[in-house]
Amino acid sequence: METALLWVSLLQLARLVLPSTFPDVEKEPQYWKDLGRQTLEEALRLQKLNLNTARNLILFLGDGMGISTITAARILRGQMDGDSGESSRLHMENFPYLALSKTYNTDCQTYNTDSQVPDSAGTATAFLCGVKTNKGLVGLSAAATLGSCNTSRGHEVDSILKWAKASGRSVGLVTTTGITHGTPAAAYAHSPDRDWYSDAELPAEAASQGCRDIAWQLVHNIPDIEVILGGGRKYMFPSGTPDIQHPQEAGAKGTRQDGQDLVTLWYRKKPPSKVSLRQTICHSSWRRTHLLPPTLTEMVDVAIRILQKNPRGFFLLVEGGRIDHGHHAGQASLALHETVELDLAVGIAGTLTSEEDTLTLVTADHSHVFTLGGYPPRGKPNTRGLGSTKILEEEAVLYGGPGGKGCALSVLVEGAGLYKGPGGGDWALPGSRKRRLCTMEAWLWGRVTWTGCHIPPFYMGTAPRLQDGQRKEEGHHRPGHRGALKAETHGGEDVAIFAKGPMAHLLHGVVEQSYIPYAMGYAACIGPNRSTAGGAKDRRDLNPGNSTRHEATPTPR
């Protein structure tokens, strides 16, 4: 009874002390009526389709950027600008066309699981090559087997980057992760194992069967990639070569066993008229020391200015890869700030290009087990620590209150699955002493010590014993507790595709992730669509009365 009275008192107090965090104008019905009318007018303008041929193609990929991540990043960006955040809009959210992408991989026998929840290599092969495949495979169909070199021959699939290069366009790769990582690797490599970064990781059997490491393929598979910006230098240099920025770090030294310097080899392959990476950085206006890496926005700015020099156009893949890293580590603040940075890069790309001749897509390879829950007030900072031990309904997460165990919970939560149902209990955790766990219906993330209890970082569910008279089919089954994981996992739900520019209306509804390069290829008349896409006139014939066509003007330089 005392606990119940405490809850009521605290909730009443919270409602008294929490200030109104939304504008007074939102109290007026006319505000919402005007907003609805404005949105309707914008939607009506979309009836006139842009059927131009896309000269330029830009694909922004937020690694692990699920819809809940976009929502939270929108709020964060608004708060960074001094607003409450909820009514803000990211640059990508201003794109006129939207679709949902199904992210599953085809199979994953090696991982002893199905592939409803994918990895970045398999998804990259889908959205770059147009073919769904197994987890861990790069640029290969599902006929290949993970880790087996001799199963990869004849099952290579080409990417839209290669299609664009074959059409005479310039091409580029930009990532905040390693350039040999799963997502960028699928643009140029064919590997039965995404982890074969250099020949040091390549098994002797695979080498004897003729397989090459991913870094080697970067330099040799597609000649003259104009822009390559990313990490992973050590896979390009002979073993023991000190890193140019971190010469004292053993983990940063070169790893190659074949003695090749792939950076020098790449540079020598470039035509004399091309601009090298080193020249670009040294002659840019970044005003930074050599110890600080460039931001994603800066790299996109430089990449587009280089690629625009080709009058035939370009294809550019941009990956915000650290979103995924933040989620895996349970660091929501890192993941959301990286999402905001990706969105800033989207905005920069918009200022440097024109929707008349540039098709731009923003999507994700997969999501994460990350959500917003509870009933937080408008404007609540969602990446900050707790800062309060009060038990407030507004501080709770997910499917109810904190459970009466004295735990004030944060707004953003993340994890690998569902935690044990009511009851709590003492559990032996690997490498730690037994600690009292909170009673919760479910949870998704932890790694925070709350008042009076400790939630271990990551858990997966398994079935507890049902009470007498309960039946699974009646909805009484609750997932239970299995054990701690090393890292948070990917999520398997659909992800968003934002699109603007020529033929952007082809991205609509719910589509397979492997559809993305075909839509982009059709818009640019490249790849499989080179002889079947037709010109703008043919496209108008397919869409009489609701199309617009303008002569594609050169994009600003």
Side-chain angles (χ1 to χ4, degrees):
M1 183 65 179
E2 293 179 357
T3 302
L5 290 175
L6 175 63
W7 266 91
V8 173
S9 300
L10 286 174
L11 289 174
Q12 290 176 341
L13 176 63
R15 294 187 177 100
L16 289 174
V17 301
L18 287 174
S20 174
T21 54
F22 62 93
D24 288 339
V25 67
E26 293 186 12
K27 300 176 182 178
E28 302 297 330
Q30 191 60 42
Y31 169 81
W32 301 106
K33 293 178 181 179
D34 292 342
L35 181 60
R37 185 179 301 109
Q38 176 185 345
T39 305
L40 176 61
E41 292 172 354
E42 293 174 355
L44 291 172
R45 285 195 291 270
L46 295 180
Q47 293 184 94
K48 293 186 176 181
L49 305 179
N50 180 350
L51 302 181
N52 294 338
T53 298
R55 188 160 64 97
N56 308 315
L57 301 171
I58 305 177
L59 178 57
F60 284 93
L61 191 286
D63 195 329
M65 190 180 68
I67 293 176
S68 58
T69 299
I70 295 173
T71 302
R74 174 203 308 149
I75 297 172
L76 172 62
R77 176 59 195 273
Q79 292 174 355
M80 292 168 67
D81 291 338
D83 300 325
S84 65
E86 293 80 8
S87 60
S88 302
R89 297 184 76 173
L90 298 170
H91 290 293
M92 68 181 81
E93 293 177 315
N94 290 317
F95 285 24
Y97 297 99
L98 176 68
L100 291 178
S101 167
K102 296 187 283 185
T103 64
Y104 65 90
N105 294 152
T106 54
D107 185 41
C108 192
Q109 294 178 350
T110 306
Y111 282 67
N112 298 313
T113 180
D114 60 33
S115 292
Q116 290 179 339
V117 180
D119 87 320
S120 295
T123 52
T125 302
F127 63 73
L128 289 173
C129 305
V131 175
K132 288 215 168 191
T133 190
N134 302 333
K135 284 184 179 180
L137 302 186
V138 172
L140 297 172
S141 73
T145 301
L146 179 65
S148 178
C149 177
N150 59 9
T151 65
S152 63
R153 297 295 174 82
H155 301 302
E156 298 87 353
V157 288
D158 292 334
S159 73
I160 189 172
L161 182 143
K162 188 172 182 178
W163 303 349
K165 193 64 181 176
S167 72
R169 288 171 169 83
S170 295
V171 295
L173 300 168
V174 174
T175 180
T176 54
T177 65
I179 201 66
T180 56
H181 206 251
T183 296
Y188 59 84
H190 311 286
S191 176
D193 193 323
R194 59 174 293 178
D195 293 333
W196 291 354
Y197 300 129
S198 75
D199 61 344
E201 290 78 31
L202 192 68
E205 181 181 15
S208 67
Q209 293 172 349
C211 275
R212 294 286 191 172
D213 62 90
I214 295 173
W216 186 95
Q217 294 186 57
L218 172 63
V219 175
H220 292 87
N221 279 10
I222 301 178
D224 195 22
I225 296 177
E226 280 78 5
V227 174
I228 304 173
L229 296 173
R233 269 195 306 263
K234 66 179 183 179
Y235 304 119
M236 308 292 170
F237 292 100
S239 178
T241 303
D243 184 75
I244 188 173
Q245 286 181 291
H246 310 285
Q248 303 304 320
E249 293 187 17
K253 293 183 178 181
T255 65
R256 300 200 63 80
Q257 303 300 306
D258 58 12
Q260 292 193 41
D261 180 342
L262 295 182
V263 173
T264 299
L265 180 61
W266 174 83
Y267 180 79
R268 289 174 178 172
K269 283 176 172 286
K270 305 292 288 184
S273 60
K274 297 288 186 177
V275 179
S276 76
L277 169 63
R278 184 178 297 276
Q279 290 171 333
T280 301
I281 293 178
C282 291
H283 292 95
S284 70
S285 59
W286 288 349
R287 298 178 182 273
R288 58 174 68 250
T289 71
H290 72 284
L291 294 178
L292 294 177
T295 66
L296 185 62
T297 303
E298 291 170 326
M299 290 193 290
V300 168
D301 187 350
V302 169
I304 291 178
R305 294 181 187 276
I306 292 174
L307 297 174
Q308 282 179 334
K309 296 180 179 182
N310 187 344
R312 293 187 178 183
F314 64 85
F315 169 82
L316 176 62
L317 172 65
V318 180
E319 181 196 21
R322 299 285 287 171
I323 301 170
D324 183 70
H325 294 174
H327 279 316
H328 276 307
Q331 297 174 354
S333 179
L334 172 60
L336 298 186
H337 280 89
E338 289 293 323
T339 304
V340 170
E341 177 64 23
L342 175 69
D343 189 64
L344 291 174
V346 172
I348 287 294
T351 64
L352 295 174
T353 59
S354 168
E355 287 189 48
E356 296 302 323
D357 68 350
T358 303
L359 173 62
T360 304
L361 268 60
V362 183
T363 188
D365 47 359
H366 54 76
S367 68
H368 275 266
V369 186
F370 171 86
T371 191
L372 295 81
Y375 302 95
R378 286 274 297 273
K380 178 178 175 60
N382 54 25
T383 62
R384 189 179 300 169
L386 292 178
S388 173
T389 58
K390 292 182 179 180
I391 307 172
L392 302 178
E393 182 183 22
E394 288 83 353
E395 299 263 1
V397 296
L398 289 183
Y399 307 118
K405 290 292 182 180
C407 305
L409 308 183
S410 182
V411 175
L412 294 183
V413 289
E414 182 170 24
L418 298 179
Y419 172 64
K420 187 180 183 295
D426 292 325
W427 298 93
L429 304 179
S432 67
R433 62 185 177 85
K434 292 183 179 181
R435 298 182 183 181
R436 182 72 181 174
L437 304 183
C438 292
T439 299
M440 299 171 62
E441 286 286 334
W443 76 285
L444 297 178
W445 197 26
R447 195 171 270 189
V448 180
T449 300
W450 288 283
T451 305
C453 60
H454 175 80
I455 301 294
F458 307 107
Y459 274 79
M460 295 187 67
T462 187
R465 184 172 58 189
L466 299 178
Q467 300 296 325
D468 293 340
Q470 290 183 337
R471 297 167 56 193
K472 293 181 181 180
E473 55 268 30
E474 292 176 347
H476 295 292
H477 178 68
R478 287 192 175 118
H481 149 268
R482 179 178 296 171
L485 299 178
K486 292 182 178 180
E488 179 270 349
T489 72
H490 295 173
E493 68 270 20
D494 298 347
V495 297
I497 309 172
F498 302 93
K500 71 173 182 177
M503 308 301 292
H505 59 280
L506 297 179
L507 283 306
H508 68 94
V510 180
V511 299
E512 295 287 354
Q513 194 169 49
S514 53
Y515 168 71
I516 292 175
Y518 295 110
M520 298 186 77
Y522 183 88
C525 299
I526 61 174
N529 299 295
R530 187 169 186 177
S531 60
T532 60
K537 179 181 183 301
D538 298 325
R539 300 177 184 187
R540 291 199 305 276
D541 292 340
L542 294 174
N543 298 272
N546 67 339
S547 63
T548 60
R549 181 177 184 270
H550 307 281
E551 292 299 326
T553 56
T555 52
R557 296 183 180 177

